[in-house]
Amino acid sequence: SVAAMAWDERNRDEWAKKYLEDTFRGTVIELEGTEGARMKFFRVETTGDCALALKAGKPRAIFELKIDLDWKVEQPIEKGKSLMEIKGQIQVTDFSSEDSSEPQMKLVCDNQLPPGATPAFKTLMDKLNAAVKSHGQPEVSRILAEDFVTELKKQRSE
């Protein structure tokens, strides 16, 4: 029958935006190879389309999203007496169901040194930016490729 071949497609744009916002805002990434630096996300902006298609009861995720993540990393310094903070952005320029395991992203580090910053400050900043690239970015990729896709497939109800 024709009905058996039909796709039942459900819009999941709002779900995707809320899921990504809640997930990233609730995520703290401990950056390996640092002195306890933690990466957090303070702005999540998602644009694009997201749907779940059901065919014969099997879910298929269909999405094409762009996501801007503003992040900050806090590193305890002076034996924990104060915090050094660096910021930046991860721009997920292409995250689609065509290639969901490989979100395309660009890392932007805000390398504005504060007035009077010492060479040691610059060295630490470089080290933290490198940790974001080696540990933070892959975790963002994993959250998208694994967690997001898995959860999306569970969003069957109307």
Side-chain angles (χ1 to χ4, degrees):
S1 79
V2 176
M5 300 301 289
W7 288 90
D8 174 12
E9 192 170 308
R10 297 171 187 176
N11 181 308
R12 288 294 174 259
D13 293 353
E14 288 311 308
W15 176 86
K17 284 183 180 138
K18 185 177 181 337
Y19 177 85
L20 293 168
E21 171 94 21
D22 293 350
T23 299
F24 282 111
R25 281 184 173 272
T27 294
V28 177
I29 301 170
E30 308 278 344
L31 295 174
E32 287 176 42
T34 65
E35 312 292 313
R38 299 155 68 99
M39 180 177 185
K40 297 175 180 159
F41 302 92
F42 61 90
R43 192 182 70 93
V44 182
E45 201 168 291
T46 304
T47 53
D49 302 308
C50 179
L52 187 65
L54 293 175
K55 187 173 182 181
K58 283 203 173 78
R60 180 169 163 231
I62 303 171
F63 55 89
E64 193 165 325
L65 300 169
K66 284 184 169 47
I67 308 151
D68 282 343
L69 299 167
D70 287 359
W71 55 263
K72 67 177 178 184
V73 169
E74 292 174 339
Q75 165 76 65
I77 52 174
E78 295 163 26
K79 299 194 170 66
K81 284 202 277 290
S82 62
L83 280 177
M84 172 175 164
E85 186 178 277
I86 63 164
K87 291 181 176 172
Q89 203 180 48
I90 291 179
Q91 297 165 349
V92 183
T93 53
D94 183 23
F95 176 46
S96 78
S97 41
E98 295 297 306
D99 196 2
S100 64
S101 63
E102 291 285 325
Q104 298 302 302
M105 52 181 94
K106 195 166 94 186
L107 176 64
V108 179
C109 300
D110 172 11
N111 289 319
Q112 237 14 79
L113 285 168
T118 61
F121 184 99
K122 168 103 177 70
T123 302
L124 182 54
M125 179 190 255
D126 292 343
K127 180 181 173 178
L128 294 176
N129 283 333
V132 167
K133 193 174 175 64
S134 60
H135 296 291
Q137 207 172 326
E139 180 59 11
V140 167
S141 190
R142 189 200 64 74
I143 288 169
L144 294 173
E146 294 175 22
D147 301 354
F148 174 80
V149 174
T150 302
E151 282 306 309
L152 175 56
K153 286 183 177 171
K154 294 177 187 169
Q155 304 306 309
R156 295 171 181 225
S157 58
E158 285 309 321

